[in-house]
């Protein structure tokens, strides 16, 4: 199965490997890879059987055989790397978090709009089948009036001060790497919060280790999130409504199982994910669908919502006193 849309992979780190694995597994066309060194690009191309290997990001985005560029560099480079691709006339799928702050996000979305190109945040969870089913259940009012989300993303990640996750200059810390998942989930359910309360603890490097948030919404809903890079928790989520709830099993943001319970605590639906690989190809399928339909924005996660999510992250950072170098 070929889709006619040709992917270029910008950067060759861990997430690029996972994404490309899933693309190849599900029959998508990966045409090119670009790295800052020819050696790294060649190794990645050999691993996945990719025809074109480029020694610079500039060469990748200017490859005439590439239709859409996947940006997988660390957070502080997303805006510049995505702009590079847009300015070369390429559609872009950019890893979450979309950018480092809302100002960068707005500029990126405006640039894409000015060129009539698609820029999509690679929040892969949004595009997974179990999340699509959850949206259907909520739309059908099976849970009645949905008013609460309780969700965590808690991992025991490397403590090495030199590790990307602990380096502030690389946007390291719990918020942009882990917190983006539950905060994006809250946005999917309830939109932008009306009020935000946030609290955090920090590592010696200045990177955030734990971030807890309470969001309140105009309709009276509340979402609580906990993100941590120094302790592993349940990584589950519960959506509560007046007529029932959904309990999403670990790991809630990856292909998983969930149960729908009614107000008498009886299970009325059990969902089991059946997804090839990690499911990262689902976001690519949606990007290709939008491109082929001539659209630059989708309903599942619009560029405008990605900007709003970055505004929420900015507000959280203002409360906990977290700034990145160069801001």
């Amino acid at each position: 199965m070929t889709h006619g849309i040709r992917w270029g992979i910008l950067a060759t780190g861990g997430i690029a490997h996972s994404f490309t694995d899933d693309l190849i597994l599900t029959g998508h066309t990966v045409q090119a890879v670009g790295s800052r060194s020819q050696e790294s690009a060649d190794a990645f191309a050999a691993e996945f059987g990719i025809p074109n290997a480029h020694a610079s990001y500039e060469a990748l985005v200017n490859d005439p055989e590439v239709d859409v560029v996947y940006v997988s560099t660390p957070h502080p480079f997303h805006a510049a790397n995505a702009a590079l691709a847009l300015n070369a006339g390429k559609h872009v799928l950019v890893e979450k978090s979309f950018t480092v702050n809302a100002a960068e996000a707005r500029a990126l979305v405006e640039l894409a709009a000015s060129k009539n190109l698609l820029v999509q945040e690679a929040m892969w969870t949004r595009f997974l089948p179990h999340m699509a089913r959850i949206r259907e259940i909520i739309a059908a009012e099976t849970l009645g009036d949905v008013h609460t989300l309780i969700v965590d993303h808690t991992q025991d990640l490397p403590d090495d001060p030199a590790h990307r996750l602990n380096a502030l200059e690389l946007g390291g810390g719990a918020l942009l790497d882990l917190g983006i998942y539950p905060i994006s989930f809250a946005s999917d359910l309830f939109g932008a919060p009306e009020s935000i309360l946030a609290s955090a603890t920090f590592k010696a490097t200045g990177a955030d280790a734990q971030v807890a948030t309470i969001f309140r919404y105009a309709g009276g809903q509340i979402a609580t999130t906990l993100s941590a890079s120094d302790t592993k928790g349940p990584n589950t989520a519960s959506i509560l409504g007046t007529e029932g709830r959904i309990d999403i099993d670990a790991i809630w943001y990856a292909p998983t199982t969930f149960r729908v319970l009614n107000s008498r605590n009886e299970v009325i639906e059990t969902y089991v994910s059946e997804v090839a690989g990690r499911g990262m190809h689902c976001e690519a399928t949606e990007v290709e669908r939008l491109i082929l339909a001539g659209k630059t924005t989708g309903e599942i996660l619009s560029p405008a919502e990605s900007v709003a999510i970055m505004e929420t992250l900015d507000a959280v950072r203002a409360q906990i006193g977290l700034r990145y170098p160069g801001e």
Side-chain angles (χ1 to χ4, degrees):
M1 131 176 134
T2 59
H3 297 245
I5 300 287
R6 301 164 298 181
W7 287 85
I9 309 296
L10 189 150
T12 55
I15 193 80
H17 277 82
S18 299
F19 180 73
T20 305
D21 256 337
D22 278 0
L23 257 58
I24 303 274
L25 178 69
T26 51
H28 295 259
T29 301
V30 183
Q31 185 65 31
V33 59
S35 180
R36 288 170 300 180
S37 78
Q38 189 68 57
E39 187 181 19
S40 175
D42 286 343
F44 194 94
E47 180 179 347
F48 293 106
I50 298 170
N52 309 355
H54 299 287
S56 72
Y57 299 155
E58 288 77 12
L60 172 74
V61 301
N62 287 297
D63 185 332
E65 296 187 308
V66 168
D67 302 302
V68 55
V69 171
Y70 168 69
V71 173
S72 69
T73 44
H75 312 297
F77 309 112
H78 287 178
N81 296 154
L84 190 73
L86 290 167
N87 282 319
K90 301 299 197 287
H91 301 287
V92 183
L93 176 66
V94 57
E95 256 314 323
K96 70 306 151 234
S97 60
F98 193 50
T99 53
V100 162
N101 56 45
E104 286 186 352
R106 277 190 290 272
L108 201 54
V109 169
E110 285 165 12
L111 176 63
S114 74
K115 298 190 172 292
N116 199 35
L117 291 166
L118 177 138
V119 61
Q120 173 76 60
E121 182 181 4
M123 172 43 74
W124 62 297
T125 304
R126 281 286 175 106
F127 304 91
L128 294 172
H130 75 287
M131 285 296 172
R133 178 63 192 135
I134 285 168
R135 288 192 287 268
E136 288 172 358
I137 291 163
I138 291 169
E141 299 185 355
T142 305
L143 305 183
D145 181 21
V146 174
H147 54 57
T148 312
L149 171 68
I150 305 162
V151 56
D152 82 304
H153 187 183
T154 43
Q155 306 286 351
D156 191 8
L157 298 174
D159 229 13
D160 176 7
H163 194 285
R164 175 185 72 77
L165 288 160
N166 303 314
L168 266 189
E169 67 276 9
L170 294 178
L175 189 65
L176 293 191
D177 259 280
L178 309 177
I180 181 66
Y181 284 91
I183 289 171
S184 182
F185 191 16
S187 175
D188 192 14
L189 289 179
F190 302 133
E194 189 178 63
S195 73
I196 294 170
L197 280 171
S199 190
T201 58
F202 292 87
K203 294 192 172 185
T205 60
D208 47 306
Q210 288 192 88
V211 182
T213 69
I214 303 172
F215 299 153
R216 191 180 186 286
Y217 300 85
Q221 306 95 335
I222 285 181
T224 68
T225 83
L226 174 66
S227 308
S229 62
D230 61 354
T231 182
K232 190 159 176 63
N235 289 299
T236 56
S238 290
I239 303 165
L240 315 181
T242 52
E243 302 296 322
R245 74 176 191 271
I246 298 173
D247 287 338
I248 314 174
D249 295 317
I251 301 172
W252 70 265
Y253 56 83
T256 188
T257 51
F258 69 75
R259 286 164 310 291
V260 186
L261 296 96
N262 63 20
S263 53
R264 295 182 300 281
N265 227 33
E266 299 160 338
V267 176
I268 55 173
E269 179 178 336
T270 301
Y271 184 95
V272 180
S273 291
E274 291 177 16
V275 178
R278 292 184 68 195
M280 296 186 82
H281 61 282
C282 296
E283 61 189 354
T285 299
E286 173 66 1
V287 165
E288 291 180 9
R289 186 188 72 78
L290 292 170
I291 291 171
L292 292 169
K295 295 182 176 179
T296 57
T297 181
E299 300 73 47
I300 297 173
L301 177 57
S302 69
E305 190 186 353
S306 290
V307 172
I309 291 166
M310 290 312 306
E311 288 171 347
T312 299
L313 292 173
D314 282 2
V316 169
R317 287 201 295 125
Q319 284 202 20
I320 63 176
L322 174 60
R323 289 176 66 84
Y324 299 114
E327 281 196 300

